[in-house]
């Protein structure tokens, strides 16, 4: 799914390397979701119950914001 490629690619380039071990594990859990659920979470249409995943989602969203 192109949207996921764009969102996750930006994060991989600008945010993944700053995650600690817990953040990387949460990111791996996030990637286990089906594509449509993953997109809904990243777009804010669904909220993850897992606080670790919620934190990573916030970081992913921050990595995709282009500087003004």
């Amino acid at each position: 799914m192109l949207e996921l490629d764009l969102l996750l690619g930006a994060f991989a380039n600008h945010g993944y390397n700053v995650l600690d071990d817990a953040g990387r594990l949460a990111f791996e859990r996030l990637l286990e979701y089906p594509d449509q659920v993953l997109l809904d979470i990243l777009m804010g249409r669904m909220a993850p119950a897992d606080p670790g995943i919620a934190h990573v989602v916030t970081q992913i969203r921050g990595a995709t914001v282009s500087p003004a």
Side-chain angles (χ1 to χ4, degrees):
M1 187 177 284
L2 179 60
E3 297 89 347
L4 289 176
D5 291 344
L6 295 173
L7 289 166
L8 296 174
F11 179 69
N13 292 331
H14 303 291
Y16 182 81
N17 60 338
V18 299
L19 291 176
D20 60 12
D21 289 340
R24 289 178 185 198
L25 289 173
F27 183 72
E28 289 177 21
R29 290 193 307 275
L30 175 66
L31 295 180
E32 292 175 3
Y33 286 109
D35 285 354
Q36 189 58 51
V37 173
L38 180 55
L39 183 61
D40 286 345
I41 289 171
L42 293 176
M43 298 303 293
R45 294 186 289 253
M46 291 179 66
D50 181 319
I53 290 177
H55 179 72
V56 170
V57 167
T58 300
Q59 291 182 310
I60 292 170
R61 288 179 185 155
T64 61
V65 174
S66 59

